[in-house]
Amino acid sequence: MNETPPSLLGLTTYLMSKTGKAARGRLADRLAERGLRLWHMAVLAALTDFGPHVQRELAERLSIDRSDVVKIVDGLGAAGLVDRARDTADRRRVTVTVTPAGRELLERLKAEALAVQEDILAPLTARERAQLTALLLRVHDGALAGGQARAGR
Amino acid sequence: MNETPPSLLGLTTYLMSKTGKAARGRLADRLAERGLRLWHMAVLAALTDFGPHVQRELAERLSIDRSDVVKIVDGLGAAGLVDRARDTADRRRVTVTVTPAGRELLERLKAEALAVQEDILAPLTARERAQLTALLLRVHDGALAGGQARAGR
DNA sequence: CCCAATGATGGGTGTGCACCTACTAAAGGA
DNA sequence: TCCTTTAGTAGGTGCACACCCATCATTGGG
């Protein structure tokens, strides 16, 4: 009685959605334990990978509303994970930088994400996981470049 | 400036979440045009695949709260997509059945889902899509059987 | 020097989702 | 017959998310 309807299981769309939701949910739970949300991690990752950003750039890169960036950076700042600094050249701009604490935390968060991943991808062999990642990566790139059309809403 | 942080792209978890969200979002948009939500489709699928259900069974199968089932079935009933009938043997129970209109609509919805899928999986060949589906299916089965732990919240 | 454009911010809105709590009707065992 | 359990229903809550608008400071062009 707890089987999922085959009509849905036949849809790759459905499977992506369902497994993706599960993955996101579990990671979000872990983050919540530290008082963080997924966006916080995304911002830390962006800052670590690409260096300091002006808030506008963060909004652009992550496709979030700029007013929401403010709130996320607020949270990170309060936790000492990023530094905010007014741009001396253009004092309207605020440059956000990861602190060492932020970098360190990101490493831990990545480790947690890997743990969640380990759990979720348990049924697959290492080869298969690599395959899955490769396939999803291509889907991801294609989806971003092509259709676009805001995901949310 | 619009590249996604590699720290995230390296996580299969992230890719599943992101692509899954995109997929769900697009399908949800299509459904919304008909005044439906994803749960409506899921219920139609369950009823079509497994035959009539008592509401309790729907709740169990789809892992939704029973009070939410009521609302979903309400909507479907109002649209003439399902029939509600009190069980004569046990008059507490209400058996829900798909109507022909419901079956027909489900077919169309499945077609729409396939269209979305076609769009999203565009970068992949037919072989690769089959591979992806197979991999995700195993992940899905594993995730449900093993970890469980409600996805939401 | 004034004005339009830009960046950050605060505050607020609507939606979907998962959850929970009565309350009613009915069934079924002690 | 009484009492516990089960099914459905109504109504409401909290949260995360995506969006939007108004405001203020600042910049840079005309």
Side-chain angles (χ1 to χ4, degrees):
Chain A
M1 177 50 66
N2 38 21
E3 311 146 46
T4 309
S7 290
L8 300 180
L9 288 181
L11 299 169
T12 312
T13 311
Y14 175 81
L15 290 173
M16 285 201 302
S17 163
K18 193 84 180 294
T19 53
K21 195 170 184 174
R24 175 174 44 251
R26 295 200 198 178
L27 181 53
D29 284 350
R30 302 268 192 130
L31 291 176
E33 289 171 12
R34 300 172 184 268
L36 298 175
R37 291 176 245 185
L38 290 165
W39 282 128
H40 291 119
M41 180 171 176
V43 167
L44 284 180
L47 295 176
T48 305
D49 287 347
F50 297 107
H53 283 62
V54 165
Q55 291 189 187
R56 166 105 213 298
E57 296 168 336
L58 279 174
E60 200 177 320
R61 180 185 302 287
L62 300 173
S63 305
I64 341 176
D65 191 273
R66 60 187 196 288
S67 72
D68 292 324
V69 171
V70 176
K71 296 158 196 164
I72 295 165
V73 173
D74 264 356
L76 292 172
L81 302 171
V82 300
D83 273 337
R84 260 192 181 125
R86 276 231 118 80
D87 188 323
T88 48
D90 184 341
R91 296 218 312 278
R92 287 171 304 180
R93 302 180 165 227
V94 172
T95 302
V96 186
T97 316
V98 244
T99 63
R103 281 179 198 276
E104 189 189 334
L105 180 65
L106 178 63
E107 282 313 308
R108 289 200 202 158
L109 296 182
K110 286 205 277 184
E112 297 222 4
L114 285 176
V116 168
Q117 183 163 318
E118 184 62 31
D119 192 34
I120 288 189
L121 300 186
L124 304 183
T125 67
R127 277 183 69 87
E128 290 169 330
R129 295 182 196 192
Q131 248 182 4
L132 178 63
T133 308
L135 291 173
L136 286 176
L137 191 54
R138 284 172 53 205
V139 169
H140 176 265
D141 291 348
L144 277 190
Q148 193 31 3
R150 77 280 192 75
R153 220 331 173 221
Chain B
M1 177 50 66
N2 37 20
E3 311 146 48
T4 308
S7 289
L8 300 180
L9 288 181
L11 299 170
T12 312
T13 311
Y14 175 81
L15 291 172
M16 286 201 301
S17 164
K18 193 84 180 293
T19 54
K21 196 170 184 175
R24 173 173 46 251
R26 295 200 198 177
L27 182 52
D29 284 349
R30 302 269 191 129
L31 291 175
E33 288 171 12
R34 301 172 183 268
L36 299 175
R37 290 175 245 179
L38 290 165
W39 282 127
H40 291 118
M41 181 172 175
V43 167
L44 283 180
L47 294 176
T48 305
D49 287 347
F50 297 107
H53 283 62
V54 164
Q55 290 188 187
R56 163 109 212 297
E57 295 168 336
L58 280 174
E60 199 178 319
R61 179 185 302 285
L62 301 172
S63 305
I64 342 175
D65 192 272
R66 61 187 197 285
S67 71
D68 292 323
V69 172
V70 176
K71 297 158 195 163
I72 296 165
V73 172
D74 264 356
L76 292 172
L81 302 170
V82 300
D83 274 336
R84 260 193 182 124
R86 276 232 118 80
D87 189 323
T88 47
D90 184 341
R91 296 217 313 278
R92 286 173 305 181
R93 301 180 165 227
V94 172
T95 302
V96 186
T97 317
V98 242
T99 62
R103 281 178 199 274
E104 191 189 332
L105 181 66
L106 179 62
E107 282 311 308
R108 289 199 201 159
L109 297 182
K110 285 204 277 184
E112 298 222 5
L114 285 175
V116 168
Q117 184 164 316
E118 183 62 32
D119 193 33
I120 288 188
L121 300 186
L124 304 184
T125 67
R127 278 183 69 87
E128 291 169 328
R129 295 181 197 193
Q131 247 181 6
L132 178 61
T133 308
L135 290 173
L136 286 176
L137 190 54
R138 285 174 50 205
V139 170
H140 176 266
D141 290 348
L144 277 191
Q148 194 27 2
R150 73 283 192 76
R153 223 316 179 233

